[in-house]
């Protein structure tokens, strides 16, 4: 089966979600508890001073952003964790579907899993809003504050365009790192998240050590556009390499490589 078939792909998705529903629910519950903990810490860190709702929301958002990044990267780095065992790998390889359908099925599940976990921030934010109302504080929602970011009349049209480009670059860089972890989880059989994180840290160090000076002379606008193009190339390259590595999977593999 080398060609993509939508009916088979639907069966692969159904199988993936039915066998991973417990993991999906535990991930959502875990992220909800994590976000609630961040709001709890942010609220009680100002218990000796006058409570400022904006300060609480800002601190909770900063801590939650770090937790979200770790959660997403850990999710990608362990996407093929069930296939670390011979039984799990056999079950995946014996599915009556093409490699593309299996790969896309797991990729779709990954995005649903991560988005469901991240959406728990909205639930925690709503619960914090209710908490502020019931305790006589100024009720402020973190999500409403995010909507207002960048909506200021003091910025020129060029500054607004640069701000939007920088946000697009931030998202694309995040997607490039996401694709890099996908490649690591596909290529490595064991300790994929740890090894991929170590390699990424090494690459970042080498980048700032050898290449940062080469781009310091560029204008901010050119640097943003260069980063935009570079991130897109990395996303396509890492995702394609991850799929190619997945197609080379075998039942009997080396101890640490999935190939």
């Amino acid at each position: 089966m080398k060609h993509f078939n939508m009916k088979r792909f639907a069966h692969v998705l159904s199988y993936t979600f039915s066998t991973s529903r417990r993991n999906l629910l535990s991930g959502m519950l875990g992220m909800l508890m994590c976000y609630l903990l961040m709001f709890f810490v942010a609220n009680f860190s100002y218990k000796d001073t006058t409570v400022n709702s904006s300060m609480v929301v800002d601190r909770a958002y900063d801590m939650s952003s770090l937790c979200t990044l770790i959660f997403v990267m850990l999710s990608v780095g362990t996407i093929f964790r069930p296939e670390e065992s011979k039984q799990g790998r056999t079950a995946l390889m014996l599915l009556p579907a093409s490699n593309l359908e299996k790969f896309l099925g797991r990729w779709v599940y990954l995005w649903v899993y991560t988005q469901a976990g991240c959406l728990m921030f909205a639930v925690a934010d709503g619960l914090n809003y209710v908490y502020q109302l019931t305790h006589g504080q100024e009720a402020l929602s973190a999500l409403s504050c995010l909507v207002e970011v960048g909506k200021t009349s003091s910025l020129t049209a060029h500054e607004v365009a640069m701000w939007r480009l920088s946000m697009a670059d931030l998202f694309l860089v995040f997607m490039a790192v996401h694709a890099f972890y996908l490649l690591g989880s596909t290529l490595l059989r064991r300790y994929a998240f740890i090894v991929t994180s170590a390699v990424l840290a090494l690459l970042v160090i080498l980048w700032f050590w050898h290449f940062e000076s080469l781009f310091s002379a560029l204008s901010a606008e050119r640097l943003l556009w260069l980063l935009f193009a570079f991130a897109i190339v990395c996303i396509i390259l890492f995702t394609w390499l991850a799929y190619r590595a997945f197609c080379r999977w075998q039942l009997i593999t080396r101890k640490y490589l999935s190939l």
Side-chain angles (χ1 to χ4, degrees):
M1 289 178 286
K2 296 183 179 180
H3 301 289
F4 184 86
N5 183 279
M6 185 57 69
K7 186 175 181 180
R8 287 201 309 262
F9 179 61
H11 286 302
V12 171
L13 280 179
S14 177
Y15 171 80
T16 303
F17 279 92
S18 62
T19 56
S20 306
R21 58 181 181 273
R22 183 174 299 179
N23 186 47
L24 177 62
L25 292 175
S26 63
M28 293 174 61
L29 181 60
M31 287 307 297
L32 176 59
M33 299 304 295
C34 178
Y35 289 137
L36 287 175
L37 177 62
M38 298 302 103
F39 277 103
F40 176 84
V41 172
N43 275 286
F44 283 87
S45 61
Y46 297 104
K47 63 180 181 179
D48 296 329
T49 60
T50 302
V51 177
N52 188 318
S53 297
S54 62
M55 295 173 64
V56 170
V57 166
D58 288 342
R59 175 167 293 188
Y61 175 75
D62 291 339
M63 294 187 295
S64 297
S65 297
L66 178 60
C67 293
T68 301
L69 180 62
I70 296 174
F71 165 71
V72 172
M73 296 313 163
L74 186 61
S75 300
V76 182
T78 57
I79 181 176
F80 292 111
R81 188 173 184 179
E83 283 69 41
E84 290 183 357
S85 65
K86 185 176 180 180
Q87 181 181 2
R89 183 170 292 243
T90 303
L92 179 64
M93 295 182 69
L94 290 180
L95 280 179
S98 65
N99 287 329
L100 180 59
E101 292 159 0
K102 297 174 187 177
F103 184 80
L104 287 179
R106 190 61 60 89
W107 188 82
V108 170
Y109 167 77
L110 169 67
W111 276 107
V112 173
Y113 178 82
T114 53
Q115 292 299 318
C118 294
L119 285 175
M120 291 299 101
F121 180 79
V123 179
D125 184 39
L127 293 176
N128 180 69
Y129 188 87
V130 173
Y131 172 83
Q132 291 175 334
L133 281 177
T134 56
H135 285 73
Q137 303 174 12
E138 177 190 1
L140 190 63
S141 170
L143 293 179
S144 64
C145 294
L146 289 177
V147 174
E148 296 300 323
V149 172
K151 291 184 177 181
T152 173
S153 58
S154 62
L155 296 178
T156 64
H158 179 72
E159 290 174 337
V160 172
M162 289 298 97
W163 181 84
R164 291 176 179 174
L165 180 58
S166 63
M167 292 298 101
D169 282 352
L170 183 63
F171 175 75
L172 288 175
V173 169
F174 174 79
M175 289 293 296
V177 175
H178 182 279
F180 184 74
Y181 272 88
L182 179 63
L183 173 60
S185 64
T186 309
L187 188 62
L188 300 171
R189 183 175 180 180
R190 297 186 184 278
Y191 312 112
F193 175 75
I194 298 175
V195 175
T196 306
S197 299
V199 173
L200 180 61
L202 180 61
L203 291 176
V204 171
I205 293 173
L206 291 176
W207 172 270
F208 282 101
W209 190 7
H210 292 286
F211 300 106
E212 185 185 18
S213 59
L214 298 178
F215 300 99
S216 58
L218 296 176
S219 64
E221 183 174 357
R222 289 186 177 182
L223 187 59
L224 287 175
W225 280 113
L226 182 61
L227 184 60
F228 184 90
F230 179 73
I232 291 179
V233 171
C234 288
I235 293 170
I236 297 174
L237 178 62
F238 292 150
T239 304
W240 179 78
L241 289 175
Y243 173 66
R244 296 303 301 173
F246 178 80
C247 291
R248 292 175 58 87
W249 271 20
Q250 301 175 8
L251 186 59
I252 305 298
T253 65
R254 297 180 178 88
K255 185 176 182 180
Y256 296 106
L257 287 179
S258 291
L259 303 179

